[in-house]
Amino acid sequence: LVADCSSLISNLGTVQGILVTGDIAFSGKEDEYLSASGFLRRLCASVNIPPERVWVVPGNHDVDRHAANAPIVSALREKLRRCAGPLELDKCLTGYYSDPESLVQLYAPQANYISFASAYSCAIGPGTPSIMFWEQDFILNDGTILRLRGLNSAIVSDMADAKGNLVLGSVPATPPPESGIEYMVLCHHPPTW
C-alpha cells in the first residue's frame, strides 16, 4: 500500500490527507495500534503529508472483545440495541452520555482506539472533545466549506454484530444544514447496519 500510494502521487499530484474508515486494529489491543501508528507514519512520509492530515473512525475490529464481554458493558449495549426506534435510542444515549460512569463503561471496549485516535485529533468518547462525533473543516477554492464528520458505528459492536443492530443516534448521524457547508461523513458501517 505504501509503495502503491507513493507511485500514485507521481501520477495524481499532491495528496491532501488520508481517511481511514475503521478496522485499524484486529482486536482492539494496544500493540496493534502501535503497529498502525508506525504504518501510518510510513504512509504519510510516502505521500509527503504530516500525520495531522490523517483522519480516522473506528470499526468493529477496533473493539476489545474481552472488555466488551464485561457484564456491565454487555448490559449497556443490549439496552441500546433493544430501543424501540430512533426517539427511544436518542433518549437512552443521552442518558448514558450525561452519566460519567455509564459513558466510561460504554466506551471501555474502545479505550485503546480512543488513545490511538487522539494522536490524530479524531477521538470520540469520554475525556475527548466530543462523545458523539468529530469534525474538521476545509475551505474549498470557491469559499465553501467541506466539513468531515467522523462517526462511531461500533459503540455497541461485539460478537453479536449483525445487520440492523448497531447504533449511532440521530444527533451524530444528522448534520445540521448550513449555508456554504457540505458534509463528508466517515463511518465504518453502512447505514443499513
Side-chain angles (χ1 to χ4, degrees):
L1 183 59
V2 171
D4 285 347
C5 288
S6 189
S7 137
L8 278 173
I9 64 163
S10 65
N11 295 327
L12 299 175
T14 307
V15 172
Q16 298 299 314
I18 297 171
L19 308 175
V20 183
T21 56
D23 287 353
I24 297 154
F26 177 73
S27 57
K29 302 296 184 195
E30 184 178 10
D31 62 322
E32 296 170 339
Y33 293 108
L34 292 173
S35 281
S37 293
F39 169 76
L40 286 172
R41 278 192 303 277
R42 290 190 307 279
L43 184 58
C44 287
S46 77
V47 295
N48 302 312
I49 62 166
E52 54 269 10
R53 301 293 290 186
V54 173
W55 293 276
V56 299
V57 295
N60 47 301
H61 284 277
D62 294 306
V63 173
D64 180 334
R65 301 295 183 191
H66 179 73
N69 289 332
I72 188 72
V73 176
S74 293
L76 293 171
R77 289 164 176 244
E78 282 311 307
K79 182 177 179 187
L80 287 172
R81 282 187 168 150
R82 287 192 310 269
C83 289
L87 292 177
E88 185 179 340
L89 174 63
D90 285 343
K91 183 178 177 182
C92 285
L93 284 169
T94 299
Y96 287 172
Y97 291 159
S98 63
D99 176 51
E101 184 59 31
S102 295
L103 185 62
V104 167
Q105 293 299 325
L106 185 63
Y107 281 92
Q110 292 182 334
N112 292 324
Y113 167 80
I114 292 168
S115 178
F116 164 82
S118 293
Y120 303 100
S121 300
C122 297
I124 306 170
T128 69
S130 175
I131 54 175
M132 292 188 273
F133 56 86
W134 58 258
E135 291 183 333
Q136 174 69 49
D137 288 354
F138 298 93
I139 300 174
L140 303 179
N141 293 342
D142 65 357
T144 61
I145 294 173
L146 174 65
R147 180 170 291 160
L148 294 183
R149 180 178 270 211
L151 305 180
N152 184 350
S153 62
I155 296 168
V156 299
S157 183
D158 58 23
M159 295 306 286
D161 287 357
K163 187 176 181 178
N165 77 349
L166 297 178
V167 303
L168 276 174
S170 64
V171 172
T174 313
E178 295 180 56
S179 179
I181 296 178
E182 294 295 328
Y183 282 88
M184 176 187 280
V185 176
L186 280 69
C187 188
H188 181 70
H189 297 92
T192 57
W193 277 66

